[in-house]
Amino acid sequence: MVSRDAFEEYDFARFYDWQYAGNKADVPFYAALAEQCGSPILEVACGTGRITIPLARRGFRMVGIDLSEHMLEYAYISLGSEPDHVRDRITLAKADMRSFDLDEAFSGVFIPNASVFHLPDQESLSECFSCLYRHTLPGGMVVIDVVSPTLMSGQEVGVERMTKECVNPRTGLITREFNKKLNIDQAIQTVKVLHTYVECIGDTERHFVFEQSYRWLERNECVDLLRMVGFADICVMGDHDRSPYDDDSPRLIAIGRRGE
């Protein structure tokens, strides 16, 4: 059994695409936003390129940054099967979302898939959002896409549940995913989770265990932070179908603009 923190680990990266293979709604959502803002587009915490690569296929020039070199390694592997014209539209770089400096500004800056939940406090969020602002062209769009605070704060603690079982194409092995919420702290808006992946190799099993803390965002907190760094005209949606946000929404998606 291997036990570590998750997102900078090589072993976690190889489960990432398998884990999120069922996430289909966000790619057309971001494609539609890309049509609105145009190139170039920056994806922060791009991971294995799950969104960056499909947008490049649609003709957009993409830059993806991620803190995990192992996630980026898988992105490069995926790019290897793409035609030259798609690869030529993508630049990938290792960078921290709180302190990156790319010497370029973008028409669209996207942080999908609740990646800002890895930032532990408001100071980190403010640093990140300031970076986003500096890298957004005048009139450009920023998108913060997270799981809703209602869902994050209402999770059941102490029960391990299997959430997926099928073959991981990366390894060719039958793999099971288990999640267990260890603790929820309402005061500091954090959920501590134990992610367990079990690979079946013949009659044996190999276990990988990763512990991760996520800090969720409240609606007003997200909007206020975006305004504080300079974004305006902020709208909040409740899902990738663009439904209005309310307390029962599955997601909290804040979209703002940098002034001209």
Side-chain angles (χ1 to χ4, degrees), residues 2 4-20 48 68 70-71 74 113 118 168 170 177 179 194-197 208-212 214:
V2 183
R4 294 185 292 255
D5 188 58
F7 285 92
E8 293 181 62
E9 292 289 348
Y10 183 83
D11 289 326
F12 187 86
R14 87 159 180 259
F15 296 114
Y16 182 84
D17 287 331
W18 172 82
Q19 180 181 0
Y20 290 103
T48 62
S68 169
H70 307 303
M71 291 284 192
Y74 278 115
N113 206 33
H118 302 301
N168 182 351
R170 291 279 187 198
E177 176 192 14
N179 286 320
L194 204 64
H195 301 281
T196 302
Y197 300 92
F208 299 84
V209 182
F210 305 94
E211 186 175 303
Q212 185 70 41
Y214 305 96

Side-chain angles (χ1 to χ4, degrees), residues 28-189:
F29 173 78
Y30 283 102
L33 293 179
E35 292 287 350
Q36 290 180 239
C37 65
S39 297
I41 295 170
L42 170 65
E43 184 185 356
V44 178
C46 66
T48 62
R50 187 180 64 85
I51 292 174
T52 295
I53 294 172
L55 293 191
R57 290 181 190 136
R58 288 167 167 82
F60 300 101
R61 185 168 76 81
M62 303 294 300
V63 174
I65 64 170
D66 202 282
L67 186 59
S68 169
E69 62 186 57
H70 307 303
M71 291 284 192
L72 293 173
E73 179 181 334
Y74 278 115
Y76 281 116
I77 291 171
S78 296
L79 276 178
S81 62
E82 296 292 328
D84 289 346
H85 66 273
V86 173
R87 290 198 298 270
D88 291 345
R89 295 187 191 116
I90 296 178
T91 302
L92 300 174
K94 180 180 178 180
D96 189 322
M97 72 173 76
R98 296 166 293 186
S99 58
F100 62 93
D101 186 359
L102 302 178
D103 198 28
E104 181 179 7
F106 299 85
S107 298
V109 178
F110 303 159
I111 308 188
N113 206 33
S115 295
V116 296
F117 281 179
H118 302 301
L119 300 177
D121 49 42
Q122 280 214 346
E123 180 180 358
S124 297
L125 284 162
S126 181
E127 292 171 348
C128 173
F129 285 20
S130 293
C131 273
L132 305 185
Y133 185 80
R134 292 195 301 271
H135 287 81
T136 305
L137 287 168
M141 175 191 297
V142 66
V143 183
I144 309 296
D145 180 356
V146 297
V147 180
S148 76
T150 301
L151 289 182
M152 291 298 293
S153 62
Q155 299 177 82
E156 188 177 16
V157 173
V159 177
E160 184 176 70
R161 298 190 185 282
M162 187 173 73
T163 55
K164 188 170 185 177
E165 180 179 22
C166 61
V167 173
N168 182 351
R170 291 279 187 198
T171 63
L173 299 174
I174 295 175
T175 304
R176 297 192 294 272
E177 176 192 14
F178 297 85
N179 286 320
K180 182 178 181 180
K181 309 306 181 296
L182 302 177
N183 174 264
I184 294 180
D185 190 324
Q186 302 283 351
I188 58 173
Q189 299 168 208

Side-chain angles (χ1 to χ4, degrees), residues 181-221:
K181 309 306 181 296
L182 302 177
N183 174 264
I184 294 180
D185 190 324
Q186 302 283 351
I188 58 173
Q189 299 168 208
T190 60
V191 179
K192 184 176 287 187
V193 182
L194 204 64
H195 301 281
T196 302
Y197 300 92
V198 181
E199 289 184 341
C200 301
I201 308 171
D203 294 331
T204 65
E205 293 182 345
R206 189 179 182 196
H207 292 239
F208 299 84
V209 182
F210 305 94
E211 186 175 303
Q212 185 70 41
S213 290
Y214 305 96
R215 184 190 183 277
W216 72 79
L217 280 171
E218 297 289 341
R219 179 194 183 280
N220 290 343
E221 176 187 21

